[in-house]
């Protein structure tokens, strides 16, 4: 039914998805995760979303941008906690060596970052720091990653992506984590506007010395944001 409809009618697709939810489970749907038909894969993904089955994480490897985006939304928004580690691990896909991914929106990035922040461990904090230092994402997204590290120990009770009450356990501060400190040092050397400004604010708490030559370069940069130059002063 999904294959014949070929995503032409959303109502037919919904009917097929609900039929699968009523008669199938994750194991029986697993063979269709790699089906040659995009419509079949999408319908399978939506059924796994409703079943809250962690096998949905397999769609994070799908080459189709729409299906990849739907998998991100499903895992984070439901949430499907069994698949959350796989979603958090997607942050490694967007390092400098991966180049730009023009299909990623700010909200998709936010879901991956929040998967690391709200549901992650110290290792995920290191991944956030490395993302901020090396990613080809926009400066706004990278600054957001640093802001998560600033308030690591106490995530908000309201999930900022979906806007609903969804508290997560509090955890100890990161202290002077060496991985975060290394990322901050790398960012400071790049002199990248708001990103460097945020790294500068975080430097001392994380034990990163503020090198005079780096600070002087920021002050002398006539294109630097006023916020950065004021902070350095």
């Amino acid at each position: 039914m999904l294959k014949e409809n070929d995503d032409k009618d959303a109502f037919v697709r919904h009917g097929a998805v609900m039929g699968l939810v009523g008669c199938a489970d994750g194991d029986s749907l697993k063979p269709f995760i790699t089906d040659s038909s995009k419509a079949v894969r999408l319908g399978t993904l939506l059924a796994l979303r409703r079943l809250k089955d962690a096998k949905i994480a397999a769609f994070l490897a799908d080459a189709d941008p729409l299906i990849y985006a739907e998998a991100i939304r499903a895992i984070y928004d439901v949430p499907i906690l069994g698949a959350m580690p796989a979603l958090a691990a997607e942050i490694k896909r967007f390092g400098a060596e991966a180049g730009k991914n023009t299909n990623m929106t700010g909200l998709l990035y936010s879901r991956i970052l929040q998967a690391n922040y709200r549901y992650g461990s110290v290792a995920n904090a290191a991944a956030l720091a490395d993302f901020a230092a090396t990613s080809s994402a926009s400066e706004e997204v990278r600054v957001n990653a640093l802001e998560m590290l600033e308030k690591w120990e106490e995530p908000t009770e309201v999930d900022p992506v979906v806007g609903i009450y969804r508290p997560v356990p509090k955890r100890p501060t990161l202290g002077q984590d060496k991985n975060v400190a290394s990322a901050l040092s790398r960012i400071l050397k790049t002199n990248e506007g708001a990103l460097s400004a945020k790294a500068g604010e975080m430097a001392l708490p994380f034990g990163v010395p503020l090198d005079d030559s780096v600070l002087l370069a920021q002050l002398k940069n006539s294109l630097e944001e006023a916020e950065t130059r004021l902070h350095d002063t």
Side-chain angles (χ1 to χ4, degrees):
M1 186 183 200
L2 287 165
K3 189 172 185 177
E4 289 178 4
N5 181 53
D6 197 27
D7 274 338
K8 293 183 176 67
D9 189 322
F11 290 96
V12 173
R13 180 181 65 205
H14 177 70
V17 168
M18 296 308 294
L20 290 173
V21 171
C23 71
D25 59 19
D27 289 334
S28 56
L29 290 173
K30 185 177 178 179
F32 300 103
I33 290 175
T34 55
D35 195 272
S36 60
S37 166
K38 175 183 173 181
V40 170
R41 298 200 310 277
L42 180 58
T44 303
L45 185 160
L46 295 173
L48 289 171
R49 172 178 175 145
R50 288 182 173 273
L51 291 169
K52 300 182 180 180
D53 195 295
K55 291 182 183 65
I56 198 171
F59 283 108
L60 293 171
D62 199 290
D64 187 276
L66 172 64
I67 291 180
Y68 179 66
E70 284 297 327
I72 292 173
R73 294 188 190 100
I75 294 168
Y76 190 84
D77 294 5
V78 171
I80 304 174
L81 297 181
M84 198 65 72
L87 178 58
E90 284 298 292
I91 198 171
K92 298 176 183 177
R93 181 185 290 209
F94 302 102
E97 71 282 355
K100 290 189 176 182
N101 185 321
T102 56
N103 297 307
M104 289 295 290
T105 64
L107 280 174
L108 290 178
Y109 271 129
S110 290
R111 286 172 169 89
I112 293 174
L113 298 184
Q114 292 288 345
N116 283 273
Y117 171 49
R118 297 181 70 81
Y119 300 98
S121 64
V122 175
N124 297 97
L128 281 168
D130 192 61
F131 173 88
T134 66
S135 174
S136 56
S138 70
E139 185 178 59
E140 180 183 2
V141 171
R142 295 165 70 190
V143 169
N144 189 21
L146 290 184
E147 290 172 342
M148 292 176 187
L149 296 172
E150 272 192 306
K151 50 192 176 184
W152 176 262
E153 71 277 10
E154 197 168 348
T156 59
E157 293 187 334
V158 175
D159 188 304
V161 176
V162 294
I164 61 176
Y165 182 72
R166 188 182 284 173
V168 292
K170 295 178 174 58
R171 54 268 179 110
T173 62
L174 291 171
Q176 295 186 354
D177 184 88
K178 63 180 181 180
N179 293 306
V180 175
S182 174
L184 293 175
S185 295
R186 283 179 282 159
I187 293 170
L188 284 168
K189 290 175 183 177
T190 64
N191 196 22
E192 292 187 68
L195 188 67
S196 291
K198 177 54 65 177
E201 292 173 14
M202 298 170 62
L204 293 180
F206 279 95
V208 179
L210 290 172
D211 185 85
D212 289 346
S213 62
V214 173
L215 296 177
L216 188 59
Q218 291 184 348
L219 282 169
K220 288 182 176 179
N221 185 352
S222 62
L223 299 178
E224 195 65 79
E225 293 188 4
E227 178 185 353
T228 304
R229 302 177 71 193
L230 179 60
H231 171 73
D232 290 344
T233 304

